[in-house]
């Protein structure tokens, strides 16, 4: 977000009421358009949809002290307000300086953003206004057309009966000599049909939306960080409580970090949150991250040279000869496991430029070529010099752990986990969101078993032990 100096309005901000656009040439100025009933209704809907955000000052600006201050202790992007230590999927993000004209281009989804209470109040007010408007027409034409509505409450009752078809009757069904009143009745009846269709559609969409379906998909309360072999992993688990499973379910993970930028030309620093995707080992994200949640599924992210959990210095420390680690910071993320199973080359020779799957193959190449250069007595022997300078492989696991612990203590980090799938009954897309901050990550632990075989009949999942952890052996 761009920051504007105090008292200076940005060029993209709309003019306040009473101000005159003196900066724009007269030939380029657009004529002012008066607000229609649609604009007024949409403005009210926008205000109700977003609470107090749309009622803010268009010239809203963030103070420099607030923009550069680190997040408070305990701050998290994703909430933890649902029962059983789950998340409702609400992001703690406040949006300001939004242009209402863009929301008016999509009125349906704008209305869908209303809360259930506000949605019911909106339709209730809309029905009542329609009753009142048509009642005025009936009351004004009652004596001339023989409707028999001597008072406004009687005309209002006739309007309700016409619109809701709950009973109907007038002294003269042909309205004497007022055929235009039939058009009014038809208009009110068709208006009622349109209202009913929209109301039923919106309410059905609200009831069957995927956010309520997501409430029965559980994520573990804690994420664990443990070392297996020579590698460190971040793991959490998820499971479905319903018997009916989601179709085509797959996982994605992102790392949200708070960064303080370097001083700019004015000497000021601006903080920002950075969102970085994370590669998954299990389920394999190169295959789409597909998962079957009929049993508790453990999601695994390997903290390797390409993991965003480590900074650029730690990446260089972990694998200085890795080809991708020497590239630009915004290069596509890779996985070290791809090099270990032969999917791609992960190390390169700085002497001749050839690439190899790993450091072992690179070391053999350098040793063999250095022997050939010594045997031939070549004056220039780059491989021999490289061998004398030493070939560093992966850093020690203690160095990686110390780098990660230091980064977790000095930087706000939050791993946002997203599970997406399709509900088999309603065919609606479902997205489940959960997050883990540094306080939610536990070192050197494992998830306690919660699946048991009872006799020869069935497998039992004990959700009372779903969040339990046990120390690693």
């Amino acid at each position: 977000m761009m920051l504007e100096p105090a008292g200076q309005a940005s060029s993209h901000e709309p003019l306040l009421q009473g101000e005159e656009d003196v900066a724009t040439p007269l030939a380029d100025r657009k004529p002012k358009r008066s607000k229609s009933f649609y604009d007024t209704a949409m403005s009210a809907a926008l205000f109700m949809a977003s609470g107090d955000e749309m009622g803010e000052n268009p010239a809203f600006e963030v103070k420099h002290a607030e923009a550069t201050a680190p997040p408070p202790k305990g701050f998290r992007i994703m909430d933890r307000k649902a029962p059983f230590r789950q998340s409702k999927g609400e992001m703690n993000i406040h949006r300001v300086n939004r242009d209402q004209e863009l929301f008016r281009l999509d009125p349906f989804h704008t209305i869908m953003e209303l809360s259930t209470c506000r949605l019911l109040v909106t339709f209730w007010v809309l029905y009542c206004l329609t009753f009142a408007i048509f009642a005025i027409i009936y009351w004004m034409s009652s004596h001339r057309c023989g409707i028999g509505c001597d008072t406004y409450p009687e005309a209002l009752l006739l309007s309700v009966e016409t619109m809701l078809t709950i009973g109907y009757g007038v002294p003269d069904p042909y309205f004497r000599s007022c055929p235009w009143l039939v058009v009014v009745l038809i208009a009110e009846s068709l208006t009622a049909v349109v209202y009913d269709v929209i109301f039923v559609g919106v309410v059905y969409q609200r009831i069957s939306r995927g956010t309520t379906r997501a409430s029965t998909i559980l994520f573990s309360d804690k994420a664990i960080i443990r070392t297996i072999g020579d590698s460190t992993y971040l793991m959490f688990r998820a499971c479905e409580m319903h018997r009916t499973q989601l179709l085509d379910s797959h996982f994605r993970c992102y790392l949200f970090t708070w960064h303080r930028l370097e001083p700019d030309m004015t000497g000021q620093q601006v903080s920002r949150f950075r969102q970085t995707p994370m590669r998954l080992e299990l389920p394999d994200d190169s295959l789409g991250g597909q998962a079957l949640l009929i049993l508790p599924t453990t999601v695994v992210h390997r903290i390797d040279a390409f993991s965003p959990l480590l900074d650029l210095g730690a990446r260089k420390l972990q694998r200085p000869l890795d080809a991708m680690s020497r590239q630009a910071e915004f290069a596509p993320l890779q996985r070290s496991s791809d090099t270990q199973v032969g999917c791609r080359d992960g190390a390169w020779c700085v002497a001749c430029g050839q690439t190899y799957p790993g450091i072992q193959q690179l070391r053999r190449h350098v040793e063999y070529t250095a022997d050939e250069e010594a045997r031939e007595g070549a004056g220039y022997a780059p491989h021999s010099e490289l061998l004398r300078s030493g070939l560093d492989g992966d850093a020690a696991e203690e160095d990686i752990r110390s780098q990660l612990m230091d980064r977790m203590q000095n930087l706000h980090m939050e791993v946002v986990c997203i599970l997406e799938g399709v509900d088999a009954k309603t065919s609606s897309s479902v997205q489940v969101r959960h997050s883990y901050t540094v306080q939610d990550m536990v070192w050197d632990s494992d998830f306690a078993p919660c699946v048991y075989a009872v006799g020869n009949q069935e497998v039992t999942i004990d959700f009372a032990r779903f969040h339990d952890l046990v120390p690693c052996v």
Side-chain angles (χ1 to χ4, degrees), residues 70-295:
K73 186 177 181 180
F75 172 82
R76 59 188 311 133
I77 294 289
M78 190 75 63
D79 73 288
R80 280 287 189 94
K81 301 177 181 178
F84 208 62
R85 290 171 280 182
Q86 298 300 296
S87 171
K88 292 184 178 181
E90 299 176 356
M91 304 289 285
N92 188 20
I93 298 176
H94 184 69
R95 297 170 176 86
V96 298
N97 297 329
R98 297 188 294 179
D99 193 348
Q100 297 187 19
E101 292 293 336
L102 299 177
F103 288 90
R104 293 191 182 98
L105 299 177
D106 186 16
F108 176 77
H109 291 92
T110 301
I111 296 176
M112 289 299 300
E113 289 293 327
L114 293 172
S115 63
T116 303
C117 181
R118 290 178 176 178
L119 185 64
L120 295 177
V121 171
T122 299
F123 275 97
W124 183 82
V125 172
L126 190 62
Y127 271 95
C128 291
L129 287 178
T130 306
F131 292 152
I133 292 174
F134 280 95
I136 294 176
I137 300 177
Y138 297 146
W139 185 34
M140 296 179 62
S141 58
S142 175
H143 179 72
R144 177 182 177 184
C145 301
I147 299 178
C149 299
D150 298 331
T151 61
Y152 181 77
E154 294 178 355
L156 182 61
L157 179 61
L158 177 60
S159 178
V160 174
E161 292 175 349
T162 303
M163 194 166 182
L164 301 182
T165 63
I166 57 176
Y168 192 73
V170 292
D172 186 1
Y174 300 102
F175 307 109
R176 294 182 182 175
S177 59
C178 299
W180 59 269
L181 198 57
V182 178
V183 178
V184 175
L185 296 177
I186 295 175
E188 185 174 10
S189 300
L190 294 180
T191 303
V193 173
V194 173
Y195 285 176
D196 294 341
V197 169
I198 297 176
F199 183 71
V200 172
V202 171
V203 171
Y204 173 77
Q205 184 68 21
R206 178 59 57 88
I207 295 175
S208 62
R209 59 182 177 175
T211 53
T212 55
R213 175 65 177 84
S215 60
T216 56
I217 299 177
L218 299 183
F219 282 80
S220 58
D221 180 46
K222 302 293 184 180
I224 61 176
I225 302 177
R226 57 174 300 191
T227 300
I228 302 177
D230 296 331
S231 303
T232 304
Y233 299 91
L234 170 70
M235 297 183 288
F236 61 91
R237 67 178 177 182
C239 187
E240 168 67 88
M241 296 182 65
H242 267 301
R243 290 183 176 270
T244 305
Q245 303 297 308
L246 291 180
L247 305 178
D248 192 27
S249 57
H250 52 277
F251 285 93
R252 291 183 291 120
C253 291
Y254 297 89
L255 177 66
F256 285 80
T257 53
W258 177 85
H259 288 267
R260 183 186 295 274
L261 302 183
E262 295 296 331
D264 55 11
M265 298 180 61
T266 61
Q268 296 181 347
Q269 289 181 334
V270 180
S271 63
R272 68 177 179 181
F273 282 93
R274 179 178 297 176
Q275 171 185 320
T276 309
M278 302 173 60
R279 298 298 304 269
L280 298 180
E281 304 286 325
L282 291 176
D284 190 356
D285 57 7
S286 63
L287 301 178
Q290 302 290 336
L292 182 63
L293 300 178
I294 191 172
L295 292 176

Side-chain angles (χ1 to χ4, degrees), residues 277-317:
M278 302 173 60
R279 298 298 304 269
L280 298 180
E281 304 286 325
L282 291 176
D284 190 356
D285 57 7
S286 63
L287 301 178
Q290 302 290 336
L292 182 63
L293 300 178
I294 191 172
L295 292 176
T297 300
T298 302
V299 182
V300 180
H301 166 75
R302 180 177 178 179
I303 306 176
D304 55 12
F306 308 101
S307 174
L309 292 173
L310 298 178
D311 57 10
L312 187 59
R315 297 184 196 179
K316 293 180 179 179
L317 173 66

Side-chain angles (χ1 to χ4, degrees), residues 350-351 366 369-371 373 378-391:
V350 296
V366 174
T369 309
D371 292 340
E373 293 173 349
Y380 176 67
H383 292 83
S384 300
E385 296 178 1
L386 181 61
L387 186 61
R388 285 193 298 268
S389 62
L391 292 174

